[in-house]
Amino acid sequence: MYNNQNVFAKILRKEIPSKVVFENDFVLAFHDIKPKANVHVLVIPKEQYINFSDFISHSLNIENFFQEVKNIAENILKLQHYKILTNNGSKAEQEVFHFHVHILGY
Ligand code: AMP
């Protein structure tokens, strides 16, 4: 079950600060607090999904979300070389249980 006290829910509600790189009605993108690449940005939907599996199973905005990930990587961050990554489940190193995609830029 989704817990709305997770850190990304608090970032969405502006209860804690983040370095926002892009925001619209549907997504928020902000810099990871512990970057693991030259550029490390997290993209989250504003809808409440626990992880990739939950998002793919239930969202009606899957294509829109991934179009926004591409837009943020290429047009906002101006990256040509990047990885996108999502950790699904605690044993796969998911720490924050609000679905997010990492953009790692080189
Ligand atoms: P994951 O392990 O896939 O759940 O990724 C969670 C990511 O969130 C990690 O890379 C953390 O460094 C990052 N993170 C945790 N708290 C914050 C925060 N307050 N602001 C920005 N990034 C955060």
Side-chain angles (χ1 to χ4, degrees):
M1 189 183 296
Y2 184 87
N3 179 348
N4 68 9
Q5 294 305 307
N6 74 75
V7 65
F8 293 171
K10 292 179 180 176
I11 285 174
L12 276 174
R13 293 193 297 267
K14 316 292 187 194
E15 292 172 7
I16 60 174
S18 66
K19 291 187 180 173
V20 173
V21 299
F22 180 81
E23 181 169 14
N24 66 13
D25 288 344
F26 182 62
V27 303
L28 178 70
F30 53 95
H31 288 281
D32 195 292
I33 205 165
K34 291 183 190 166
K36 295 179 182 71
N38 289 342
V39 177
H40 188 169
V41 163
L42 302 169
V43 186
I44 66 176
K46 292 189 173 180
E47 296 172 315
Q48 298 183 338
Y49 295 108
I50 296 170
N51 56 23
F52 173 78
S53 180
D54 186 26
F55 179 71
I56 295 295
S57 295
H58 298 114
S59 177
L60 300 177
N61 291 301
I62 296 166
E63 180 176 353
N64 185 14
F65 178 79
F66 283 100
Q67 288 286 356
E68 289 297 353
V69 172
K70 177 178 184 285
N71 177 49
I72 291 160
E74 298 183 9
N75 300 324
I76 307 293
L77 301 172
K78 308 289 187 194
L79 297 170
Q80 291 181 305
H81 302 259
Y82 59 89
K83 292 177 186 172
I84 61 170
L85 171 80
T86 187
N87 298 320
N88 192 85
S90 56
K91 290 181 184 173
E93 301 179 347
Q94 184 178 1
E95 293 175 358
V96 180
F97 290 86
H98 180 113
F99 171 55
H100 54 282
V101 166
H102 299 251
I103 299 173
L104 298 155
Y106 300 91

